[in-house]
Amino acid sequence: LEDRRRAMLGLGALATVFALAIALVPSSRARFLQAFSEREPGERGVLLGAGLSAVRAHPLTGVGLGRFKPVEWTTPDAPVAVREHQGKAHNQWVTVAAEAGVPAALALLGWVACLLLAVLRQPRARVAAGVVVLFGALTVLHDPLFHPETSLAFMLALGGALAAARPGGSLRGEATADAS
């Protein structure tokens, strides 16, 4: 129980540090607020709007995996960067819903929630909670799964954290005493 409290306090402290960084650093604050702003939408706002338009048009099935192209869901006066964009809404949940439908976005949300609950229940695996929380925070303002290196880094970090949490806690692949 004490480990759980420490983990929750650690997560709370991490969230507080992120919130303070956003609140106290003007460039971070402006970028964070721009992602949610409907007034004078910049590139991110137009990308998010394109994704939401695709979701409204195809809520159950999406437009197809890898087929979401913002240019198809924006107006001709959209910024050039948006018209040339390869396909993300700058919000992982909206991108998944645009490509595969709202049920797929809910399934991803369920997976992340189950993963977080699973790692919080195992005292030795709580280090993985930070990886899951970071991934969750990134998904709101970006599409970490859109970039292969980010997807691979997430899985590597999660796998390493879970491997370190095994009985014996070794990342070296050594057999533990109870594995014989």
Side-chain angles (χ1 to χ4, degrees):
L1 191 60
E2 182 62 31
D3 285 339
R4 179 174 280 169
R5 278 193 203 124
R6 261 189 275 174
M8 296 309 281
L9 285 173
L11 287 173
L14 185 61
T16 301
V17 167
F18 283 127
L20 285 173
I22 290 169
L24 299 176
V25 178
S27 60
S28 295
R29 185 174 54 248
R31 187 167 180 156
F32 183 81
L33 293 174
Q34 180 188 13
F36 296 104
S37 174
E38 289 302 320
R39 291 178 290 151
E40 303 177 15
E43 178 184 323
R44 288 175 179 261
V46 175
L47 287 169
L48 183 61
L52 292 172
S53 293
V55 172
R56 279 191 291 274
H58 302 280
L60 294 177
T61 60
V63 297
L65 295 178
R67 294 179 184 260
F68 170 63
K69 306 292 180 217
V71 69
E72 296 173 6
W73 301 96
T74 59
T75 60
D77 63 338
V80 173
V82 172
R83 291 194 312 262
E84 294 175 353
H85 207 280
Q86 296 179 6
K88 65 178 181 175
H90 256 294
N91 178 307
Q92 189 68 67
W93 309 105
V94 174
T95 300
V96 169
E99 288 193 352
V102 173
L106 292 174
L108 178 62
L109 179 63
W111 176 75
V112 171
C114 287
L115 187 57
L116 184 60
L117 288 173
V119 298
L120 287 175
R121 286 187 182 135
Q122 296 184 21
R124 297 184 60 121
R126 290 200 181 117
V127 66
V131 176
V132 178
V133 169
L134 177 61
F135 174 76
L138 284 174
T139 61
V140 177
L141 298 173
H142 200 47
D143 291 69
L145 298 178
F146 182 78
H147 304 284
E149 60 277 359
T150 308
S151 297
L152 293 171
F154 169 63
M155 291 302 168
L156 179 64
L158 183 60
L162 292 174
R166 293 180 329 174
S170 173
L171 290 176
R172 294 185 217 128
E174 299 167 354
T176 57
D178 54 314
S180 51

